Amino acid sequence: MKPGGPHTPSSMEQRLGSLSTQVTVIVFWGLVIIGLLFAILLLADRREDLEAQRAAQADSAAYHIGQKLAGDAALSPDRLEHQLRHLLETSGARYLRLERAGRVLAVAGEAEALADGEPQRRGGLGDGQVELLLVFPSLDSVLHEQRRMLLLSLGVLLLLFGMALRNVLERLLTRPLAAMADVAQQKSLGRDDVHFDESAPGEIGYLAGFVNRAFHSLCASEAELLRVKELAEVTLNSIGDAVIRTDQHGRILYLNAVALGLLHSEAGDCRGRQVMEVMRLVDESTGETLVNPMLACVAGDRAACNVGNYRLEREHGEAISLSIAVTPVFEEGVISGAVMVLHDISLTSKLRQELSYQASHDPLTGLYNRAEFLQRLHRARELALRDRCQHTLCYFDLDQFKVVNDTCGHMAGDQLLIHLSELLGQGLRQSDTLARLGGDEFGLLLMQCPPERAIQLAQELRERINDFEFNWKGRSFRIGVSVGLVPITPESADVKGLLSAADIACYAAKEGGRNRIHLYREDDRELSQRREQMGMVAAVRAALEQGRFELFVQPIVSTAEDSALQRYEVLVRMLDEKGEHVPPAQFIPAAERFHLMASLDRWVVEHALAALTELHGRGLALNLSVNLSGQSFNEEGFLDYILDRLRGCDGLAGQLCFEITETAAISHISQARRFIDELRAVGCRFALDDFGSGLSSFAYLKELPVDYLKIDGSFVRDMDHNPDNQAMVKAINEVAKVMGMETIAEFVENERVFDILRGIGVDWGQGYWLGRPEPLSRLLESARSHGASNVIPLG
């Protein structure tokens, strides 16, 4: 409502008029109380202040008169009286009198002040006999007058302030509020053409604008509510999820279009009926029919209920996987119904099943994979422990599978694995589990199957594979399979132990000639040895990582009496975690079987070259013979490693001799020949170790350009009383000389054997009689302590 024309108080304004009066009265009396408290505090110490003030005034007047008398002792009475009148005006006293020896010299002021005033005397003035009497007004009267004037002033100020405050309140508060009240009354009567005055000053104008906007929003909200309701209907019909609204009794009140399509029904056919009357939901995992979830949610008084995944069964056997969630509807804090949302997860469920299949199956063969097999093996072990029953683990490793891969390619190998998977899966029980564990290895878990029956079944599978002929592009192949069986009993180890035992048993089958079956037993000596080697291989790996190896050297002595050349064979010893030596017979077989010899040989070559470098720097020249495994010179990169190390050790290649066994050289004849040729080209020498132990020694000798033949110790050890061995050593020596090679005899254990070797013409001898192995560190310490000319030979 806009103001206009002369102001006439309205009825509402008259009713609100007392508001400003009430506020003014409240403020007025509040200020009165505050003023009184202020007056009390202000006058509390006024008496002491007045007394001190009067004493100071009396002292000042006495001092002034004293100064006058001292300057002019013969002052006339008129002049004295004039001085007293002057002091009367400045001191605040009502009466002054100057006396000498009881005689009045001068008087000023009102004599009646002596009756009700308060006198004060000051003597010792002038010649010391003059005395000044000052009479001040009564303190009580002065204080009373000051209180009266203070309260009167305070009352007048408060009255003026109250009147001004009332006028201000009427202008700023009463009239704007009355106007707002009148507009509100008209609004309540339905008039929309009136508005609150937003031009009112201060907060009243802001409040009027806020209320105007609120009324405008309220009017707009009614239209918006209608629009939102229509939009909600459209939204619910357009979303991809089915939505069903029920009352608190589970009866359907509303279904969106998706829900109607899901049920193949019309809205009129469903409203008022129970949810479970129009649809049948079955638990996907248990097959149980779902009761009305709406009632369960309402009864539980929960904010939301994730019912889970169910299957909607429709006509003609059609089924849809659904994820169901139910949320209660509250009205004024009380549950009035519920909303059920059904999300079609058929595609998601199908993808989940595919992912689950891929996670548990081998993509090539369709069999279970290693991860799934390990889980089932773990459950089988738990069942054996719980039910005191027995199962059997079968481990299959194909023989000669690599031949197919190498000759026909991996595509042929994959087809072969698919055919073999089908052969292995024929005739198995539903409770059995067949899996591809990796490469050409398969696992079979036979539930409730004793070892005797497992052996029969494994034999049938082995024969089935053995009889199978694989054809690929005009070529035919037959392969075999080695099988390791492990009983699963209540006393069995964990899954890792069972797989380890199966691997050991399968390896034993391969070692026994391949295409065999081996049953694991705890007391099996061969398997026990295999298990010990598997334990030792971990120790070898740890020793390689931590450098827990030590080099020993054993002298190789010339049979020529005037020879001064020093030769040593390098031997490696492993240290356990306590620093004690492990016999080579314990760790060397394990390192060879599990292909760790190349790593060990690298370590030996590295430290042997370091020792040669140090001895060379001290002026000591000697030859070191280093043993190499067949795995080393057959490993890609090992030859390049040695050549690279020799390039960093100029001039030392001629002091290095590599010993390779006859068996290893013959098994890898082409690699051995290339290895020898390239290292001899840079100055290294080679010795063929254990010569004579093979069946074709002389036939292969011409293929291997070595510098030395080390005659196998089995011929040398007892040649002093065995003519046959002596003849064999002599024959080997003669062949070597014809081919330009020097000979070294091993196992020289007494002087008689050494003399025979010298007589035959063998060039070098090695054995305990000539010198036992000693740490290489002793040789290095001798060179450091005595110098090159005084090195103490070992042995």
Side-chain angles (χ1 to χ4, degrees):
M1 178 178 291
K2 302 294 183 180
H7 174 70
T8 55
S10 65
S11 60
M12 183 60 66
E13 185 177 348
Q14 292 174 355
R15 288 198 298 271
L16 293 174
S18 60
L19 176 62
S20 57
T21 304
Q22 294 173 2
V23 173
T24 302
V25 170
I26 293 172
V27 174
F28 177 81
W29 285 111
L31 291 176
V32 168
I33 294 172
I34 294 174
L36 290 176
L37 292 175
F38 175 75
I40 292 172
L41 293 175
L42 183 64
L43 299 174
D45 299 325
R46 188 59 180 166
R47 179 181 291 275
E48 289 79 3
D49 293 341
L50 287 174
E51 289 176 351
Q53 181 180 357
R54 288 181 176 183
Q57 291 172 342
D59 291 340
S60 177
Y63 174 77
H64 184 73
I65 290 296
Q67 290 293 318
K68 290 294 182 178
L69 291 175
D72 188 2
L75 285 172
S76 64
D78 292 336
R79 294 184 65 184
L80 289 175
E81 185 176 349
H82 175 74
Q83 290 294 329
L84 290 180
R85 283 197 299 271
H86 176 71
L87 290 175
L88 186 66
E89 295 174 359
T90 60
S91 65
R94 294 178 59 194
Y95 179 76
L96 295 178
R97 188 172 65 192
L98 194 63
E99 300 177 355
R100 176 186 287 156
R103 185 172 64 88
V104 176
L105 299 179
V107 176
E110 303 172 0
E112 59 269 18
L114 291 172
D116 57 357
E118 293 183 0
Q120 291 195 21
R121 292 181 179 274
R122 297 291 185 271
L125 306 177
D127 56 0
Q129 297 180 355
V130 178
E131 184 180 54
L132 177 65
L133 173 65
L134 298 95
V135 179
F136 291 93
S138 171
L139 283 176
D140 292 336
S141 62
V142 173
L143 290 174
H144 176 74
E145 181 65 19
Q146 289 184 354
R147 291 191 190 97
R148 187 181 66 82
M149 292 302 296
L150 179 62
L151 292 176
L152 180 61
S153 300
L154 185 63
V156 172
L157 290 175
L158 290 176
L159 180 61
L160 294 175
F161 176 79
M163 295 173 63
L165 177 62
R166 187 177 187 281
N167 290 330
V168 171
L169 289 175
E170 285 184 355
R171 183 171 58 85
L172 298 179
L173 184 63
T174 303
R175 292 174 186 172
L177 287 178
M180 291 185 68
D182 288 339
V183 173
Q185 186 176 18
Q186 295 181 57
K187 287 278 188 183
S188 64
L189 297 176
R191 290 190 60 183
D192 295 331
D193 58 330
V194 294
H195 303 284
F196 294 98
D197 184 10
E198 298 184 18
S199 64
E203 288 78 4
I204 300 297
Y206 176 80
L207 180 61
F210 177 80
V211 175
N212 282 333
R213 290 189 293 273
F215 269 107
H216 177 73
S217 298
L218 185 62
C219 295
S221 296
E222 294 180 0
E224 182 65 17
L225 283 175
L226 180 60
R227 191 183 69 83
V228 168
K229 181 179 179 182
E230 295 175 353
L231 181 61
E233 293 281 348
V234 174
T235 302
L236 288 174
N237 287 325
S238 63
I239 63 175
D241 292 338
V243 180
I244 301 176
R245 165 77 187 277
T246 69
D247 60 14
Q248 66 270 31
H249 303 295
R251 292 186 294 265
I252 296 175
L253 300 177
Y254 169 82
L255 301 91
N256 68 347
V258 177
L260 292 173
L262 199 65
L263 300 177
H264 290 168
S265 179
E266 297 291 336
D269 298 335
C270 298
R271 289 194 179 98
R273 300 174 63 187
Q274 292 287 333
V275 173
M276 294 300 103
E277 293 180 11
V278 299
M279 65 173 62
R280 182 171 183 268
L281 296 172
V282 178
D283 192 314
E284 287 189 328
S285 58
T286 63
E288 298 179 355
T289 302
L290 176 67
V291 298
N292 195 331
M294 319 294 275
L295 294 177
C297 185
V298 171
D301 193 17
R302 288 177 286 181
C305 308
N306 291 319
V307 180
N309 295 336
Y310 282 80
R311 185 174 65 252
L312 173 64
E313 295 186 346
R314 301 197 296 191
E315 299 175 355
H316 311 298
E318 184 183 3
I320 299 177
S321 295
L322 297 173
S323 173
I324 302 176
V326 179
T327 303
V329 177
F330 290 87
E331 292 183 6
E332 297 181 356
V334 179
I335 295 180
S336 60
V339 174
M340 181 166 66
V341 179
L342 301 93
H343 179 65
D344 188 349
I345 58 171
S346 300
L347 179 59
T348 304
S349 179
K350 181 179 179 181
L351 292 175
R352 184 172 61 248
Q353 292 174 2
E354 291 179 357
L355 289 175
S356 176
Y357 179 86
Q358 293 174 5
S360 60
H361 288 74
D362 175 57
L364 176 64
T365 62
L367 301 177
Y368 289 114
N369 58 18
R370 186 181 187 88
E372 180 67 18
F373 187 78
L374 293 180
Q375 292 182 6
R376 298 194 174 204
L377 182 59
H378 178 71
R379 290 196 294 268
R381 178 180 172 274
E382 290 181 340
L383 288 174
L385 182 63
R386 187 191 69 185
D387 301 336
R388 312 302 294 178
C389 57
Q390 193 174 38
H391 318 295
T392 302
L393 168 62
C394 307
Y395 194 92
F396 297 86
D397 193 340
L398 302 180
D399 299 326
Q400 305 302 323
F401 174 77
K402 190 173 182 298
V403 175
V404 178
N405 255 353
D406 293 344
T407 56
C408 299
H410 291 286
M411 185 176 296
D414 290 347
Q415 288 298 317
L416 176 58
L417 289 175
I418 293 173
H419 290 309
L420 293 177
S421 300
E422 296 173 354
L423 288 176
L424 290 172
Q426 294 177 3
L428 296 181
R429 300 170 300 172
Q430 188 174 1
S431 60
D432 299 332
T433 301
L434 177 63
R436 183 187 177 199
L437 303 182
D440 59 347
E441 299 171 350
F442 295 84
L444 176 60
L445 180 59
L446 300 173
M447 302 297 293
Q448 302 289 344
C449 181
E452 297 77 15
R453 172 60 186 145
I455 291 175
Q456 295 177 5
L457 180 59
Q459 183 65 23
E460 294 175 4
L461 295 176
R462 188 195 65 79
E463 292 175 356
R464 192 181 301 166
I465 292 176
N466 195 52
D467 295 339
F468 173 69
E469 183 177 355
F470 177 66
N471 296 301
W472 182 262
K473 295 182 179 180
R475 305 184 64 176
S476 298
F477 298 92
R478 288 184 180 273
I479 63 172
V481 62
S482 298
V483 186
L485 303 182
V486 180
I488 304 174
T489 64
E491 293 76 25
S492 294
D494 57 9
V495 171
K496 184 178 179 181
L498 289 171
L499 285 177
S500 176
D503 181 58
I504 291 172
C506 187
Y507 187 87
K510 283 186 174 293
E511 289 284 297
R514 297 181 181 271
N515 202 21
R516 294 171 179 266
I517 298 174
H518 194 105
L519 177 64
Y520 179 88
R521 294 187 179 87
E522 289 291 340
D523 57 352
D524 192 317
R525 180 177 179 183
E526 181 180 355
L527 296 184
S528 177
Q529 181 182 5
R530 165 74 171 171
R531 187 166 55 247
E532 291 176 359
Q533 288 184 350
M534 291 182 69
M536 179 56 68
V537 74
V540 174
R541 286 196 179 99
L544 282 170
E545 292 174 358
Q546 301 169 15
R548 286 191 280 104
F549 286 96
E550 184 179 5
L551 293 184
F552 277 59
V553 289
Q554 184 178 22
I556 301 175
V557 180
S558 174
T559 57
E561 296 180 356
D562 57 348
S563 175
L565 180 63
Q566 298 186 58
R567 300 178 61 88
Y568 296 91
E569 179 180 1
V570 178
L571 306 171
V572 64
R573 299 289 186 268
M574 189 176 85
L575 300 174
D576 60 18
E577 294 180 350
K578 298 179 180 179
E580 299 179 357
H581 288 100
V582 179
Q586 291 187 16
F587 72 88
I588 292 294
E592 288 179 340
R593 175 165 288 181
F594 292 94
H595 304 286
L596 295 177
M597 283 306 299
S599 299
L600 182 57
D601 287 347
R602 287 174 186 262
W603 190 93
V604 173
V605 170
E606 178 75 22
H607 289 76
L609 284 174
L612 281 177
T613 301
E614 181 177 349
L615 292 171
H616 180 74
R618 297 182 181 277
L620 178 62
L622 51 78
N623 290 350
L624 292 182
S625 296
V626 177
N627 291 280
L628 291 181
S629 167
Q631 296 176 11
S632 297
F633 57 77
N634 195 40
E635 181 189 68
E636 184 178 356
F638 188 81
L639 175 60
D640 293 334
Y641 166 77
I642 295 180
L643 291 172
D644 181 66
R645 295 296 297 119
L646 288 174
R647 279 191 286 269
C649 304
D650 293 339
L652 296 183
Q655 296 176 234
L656 194 62
C657 178
F658 292 105
E659 295 188 9
I660 58 177
T661 64
E662 177 191 5
T663 304
I666 292 174
S667 301
H668 309 86
I669 188 70
S670 60
Q671 293 94 327
R673 178 63 184 262
R674 174 176 172 268
F675 193 89
I676 294 171
D677 287 342
E678 294 205 24
L679 287 179
R680 288 190 74 201
V682 298
C684 295
R685 299 187 179 186
F686 278 84
L688 193 60
D689 200 6
D690 298 334
F691 187 80
S693 60
L695 299 177
S696 305
S697 299
F698 290 106
Y700 283 100
L701 189 59
K702 61 183 179 180
E703 300 292 334
L704 299 171
V706 297
D707 302 283
Y708 303 95
L709 287 184
K710 293 193 75 170
I711 305 171
D712 189 84
S714 61
F715 301 122
V716 179
R717 180 185 291 111
D718 59 352
M719 62 180 296
D720 53 340
H721 56 269
N722 188 326
D724 294 337
N725 286 349
Q726 191 173 141
M728 182 65 72
V729 171
K730 185 176 181 180
I732 294 173
N733 184 68
E734 289 176 355
V735 171
K737 290 297 188 287
V738 170
M739 301 186 70
M741 303 176 187
E742 295 185 31
T743 52
I744 303 172
E746 299 177 314
F747 288 23
V748 179
E749 298 180 352
N750 57 62
E751 185 178 7
R752 171 66 178 159
V753 170
F754 188 74
D755 290 338
I756 295 174
L757 292 172
R758 179 184 294 162
I760 291 175
V762 174
D763 300 291
W764 304 85
Q766 181 180 355
Y768 282 175
W769 183 75
L770 297 172
R772 291 179 174 271
E774 296 288 346
L776 176 61
S777 57
R778 281 192 55 194
L779 185 65
L780 297 177
E781 290 172 4
S782 176
R784 294 165 189 156
S785 302
H786 301 87
S789 59
N790 296 309
V791 173
I792 301 175
L794 299 179

